[in-house]
Amino acid sequence: MRTRTKVIIGVGILALLVAAAGLSTTTRRASGIEVRMEAVDTRDLVATVTASGNVRARRKVDISSDISARVTQLLIDEGEDVQEGQILLRLDPTRYQATVNRSQANLSQSEASVTQARANLLRAQREAERMASLRARDSLLVSRQDVENAQTDLDVQQSLVEASQFGVYQAQAALEEAQDQLSKTIIRAPMSGRVTRLNVEQGETVIVGTMNNPGSLVLTVSDLSVMEVVLEVDETDVPEIALGDNANVELDAFPDLEFPGVVSEIGNSAIRPPSQAAGTGQTPTIDFEVVVTLSSPEVELRPDLSATAEVITETRDDQLSIPIIALTLRDEEQDEGSDESADNGASDATPDPIEGVFVVRDGRVTFTPVTVGIAGQEYFEVLSGLALGDTVVSGPYQVVRTLEDGDAVQPDEGSDTDEGSDGANGS
């Protein structure tokens, strides 16, 4: 068989297949496209914002050491309940006790210097008085210079007494500082709670934090009586959340329980500012911190548990609603005067698409613009455009996107309407 003959036969077969496909589509549209239908009804709707985060205690204290020393006694274990003021651990006091002893000796020396200076002052005072008395009796016995020298010596001794007193104050301050450092070798509980983190063992050396070194985090004491969930909420959802909004929290550790809570804090700045991503070449994700306070959980919770929360932002009772999948967008049809307007130099800007649904009447669909409100889990609130009992196309999604006004439809097995394609009152 010649090649030309084969090509002709192939083209003929392809034309037959295309014609058959077109005929099938035409037949299918003529007999009615199978769609899922649902009647417009009233429902209770709840709009939520979902975010994930972790559990934490509302109040906790991270304890670091103010001095560098070795742990000589560790008196608690992680997970142990402690009371405010309870001794948690002791550090080696040897060096700090020696500093206290040295400061005490310096104070004693300063006090002795004050006593000596006062004695010298008393001697100088007596000498000055004696010289003044002799000068008063007979100016030939004591010269004016001797009187002046005695007075000058009195003034010097007075100044030395004051200087010695200041030395005592300085020694006292040094002693108080040394005693304060010594007291820090004993670490006590700043509040009642539970030791939720313990980072040291007996014999280890803790260090003091500096500008470039955060130092040793010794332990953490948490008050577990009030627990919170810290959520990372996307910037687009934050405006919908308000203080006092109710929330339902699920924890991975307790999959069968739901924990109610209330929004108690909303961050005013991003968790990770955009400036931190500068120079990385990546678009930063802007999340804000939202804190949900749990309401008396029925089980004992631990910090850092993974959590997912649904924050209830809006509620509507007994409102008209349509399935979310039923809502679609269609370009606005040009009116009759659009061509004339274009000829007159009107703008050629593309009109915004219109939100609407396909309403089923007498087995055919009509695109009807609607105004929707809040979105629940599966349904939109209907503000205008539909009436109770109207039947709308609610799926499948691909079919809803390709429907056109006037298409014939028929209900599939999943339709939730008693009237099928003939049902519904006009809106």
Side-chain angles (χ1 to χ4, degrees):
M1 184 179 296
R2 295 181 180 180
T3 303
R4 181 177 178 182
T5 305
K6 293 180 180 179
V7 172
I8 294 174
I9 294 175
V11 171
I13 294 174
L14 180 60
L16 290 175
L17 292 176
V18 171
L23 180 62
S24 175
T25 302
T26 303
T27 303
R28 183 171 61 90
R29 284 189 173 271
S31 62
I33 304 171
E34 284 194 359
V35 296
R36 186 164 57 252
M37 302 180 188
E38 188 167 337
V40 177
D41 202 353
T42 56
R43 295 176 179 82
D44 295 336
L45 302 178
V46 179
T48 61
V49 170
T50 302
S52 59
N54 297 94
V55 175
R56 75 176 183 190
R58 165 172 287 184
R59 186 183 177 203
K60 71 170 185 176
V61 178
D62 293 327
I63 300 176
S64 299
S65 177
D66 294 323
I67 60 174
S68 297
R70 181 173 53 86
V71 179
T72 56
Q73 284 185 301
L74 186 60
L75 306 176
I76 45 87
D77 294 319
E78 186 169 328
E80 182 177 336
D81 291 329
V82 296
Q83 299 299 318
E84 182 177 355
Q86 179 180 335
I87 297 177
L88 305 178
L89 55 91
R90 298 178 188 271
L91 305 177
D92 186 2
T94 304
R95 181 174 59 171
Y96 301 98
Q97 183 62 59
T99 303
V100 169
N101 295 340
R102 182 169 61 251
S103 299
Q104 183 66 58
N106 290 337
L107 176 60
S108 299
Q109 184 179 5
S110 298
E111 290 173 344
S113 297
V114 170
T115 301
Q116 182 180 359
R118 286 175 177 171
N120 292 335
L121 174 62
L122 181 60
R123 179 188 58 77
Q125 186 177 5
R126 289 174 180 174
E127 181 66 17
E129 291 174 354
R130 188 175 67 84
M131 288 295 181
S133 177
L134 291 175
R135 176 69 178 174
R137 289 180 188 179
D138 188 351
S139 61
L140 298 178
L141 295 176
V142 178
S143 65
R144 182 182 296 276
Q145 183 177 0
D146 290 337
V147 175
E148 292 175 351
N149 289 341
Q151 184 60 44
T152 301
D153 185 51
L154 176 62
D155 294 339
V156 170
Q157 294 302 323
Q158 181 66 43
S159 298
L160 290 176
V161 169
E162 293 179 0
S164 299
Q165 189 61 54
F166 289 137
V168 171
Y169 295 153
Q170 185 176 8
Q172 287 176 338
L175 177 59
E176 291 174 359
E177 181 181 5
Q179 289 173 336
D180 178 65
Q181 292 290 92
L182 178 61
S183 68
K184 291 175 179 176
T185 61
I186 299 176
I187 296 180
R188 300 177 181 271
M191 66 176 186
S192 298
R194 179 172 299 174
V195 179
T196 54
R197 182 175 286 107
L198 182 60
N199 293 335
V200 297
E201 295 291 343
Q202 186 167 323
E204 292 184 2
T205 298
V206 296
I207 60 175
V208 181
T210 62
M211 182 178 297
N212 298 321
N213 186 351
S216 300
L217 175 61
V218 179
L219 54 88
T220 300
V221 177
S222 303
D223 180 5
L224 303 183
S225 61
V226 179
M227 302 299 289
E228 299 175 333
V229 175
V230 184
L231 304 173
E232 293 189 6
V233 179
D234 187 82
E235 59 180 327
T236 58
D237 294 327
V238 171
E240 301 178 17
I241 300 176
L243 294 176
D245 283 347
N246 293 322
N248 296 318
V249 180
E250 295 181 353
L251 304 180
D252 293 347
F254 303 96
D256 298 329
L257 297 179
E258 191 173 80
F259 301 85
V262 176
V263 175
S264 56
E265 295 179 32
I266 301 175
N268 292 304
S269 59
I271 299 173
R272 290 171 291 275
S275 58
Q276 294 183 359
T280 62
Q282 299 179 351
T283 303
T285 300
I286 306 301
D287 295 323
F288 287 77
E289 183 176 282
V290 174
V291 178
V292 173
T293 301
L294 299 180
S295 305
S296 302
E298 58 189 60
V299 295
E300 186 176 76
L301 302 181
R302 290 177 169 81
D304 302 328
L305 291 176
S306 298
T308 301
E310 288 187 349
V311 181
I312 301 173
T313 58
E314 295 284 349
T315 59
R316 297 287 188 272
D317 296 333
D318 200 29
Q319 292 293 317
L320 285 180
S321 60
I322 57 172
I324 291 177
I325 197 174
L327 192 68
T328 185
L329 296 176
R330 285 293 184 272
D331 292 334
E332 185 177 7
E333 294 183 0
Q334 295 183 344
D335 56 24
E336 296 179 355
S338 60
D339 294 338
E340 181 179 352
S341 299
D343 294 338
N344 293 332
S347 172
D348 294 334
T350 303
D352 294 334
I354 300 176
E355 288 184 330
V357 297
F358 283 99
V359 178
V360 182
R361 296 188 183 94
D362 299 326
R364 295 189 178 276
V365 296
T366 302
F367 180 76
T368 303
V370 297
T371 304
V372 296
I374 69 170
Q377 293 292 335
E378 298 179 0
Y379 291 87
F380 275 122
E381 175 192 16
V382 176
L383 300 180
S384 64
L386 295 174
L388 183 66
D390 284 347
T391 300
V392 299
V393 177
S394 61
Y397 176 71
Q398 292 296 334
V399 174
V400 174
R401 291 184 59 188
T402 58
L403 280 177
E404 298 178 1
D405 271 349
D407 282 349
V409 294
Q410 57 181 341
D412 64 7
E413 296 179 356
S415 296
D416 184 16
T417 175
D418 295 333
E419 300 185 37
S421 60
D422 298 328
N425 300 319
S427 57

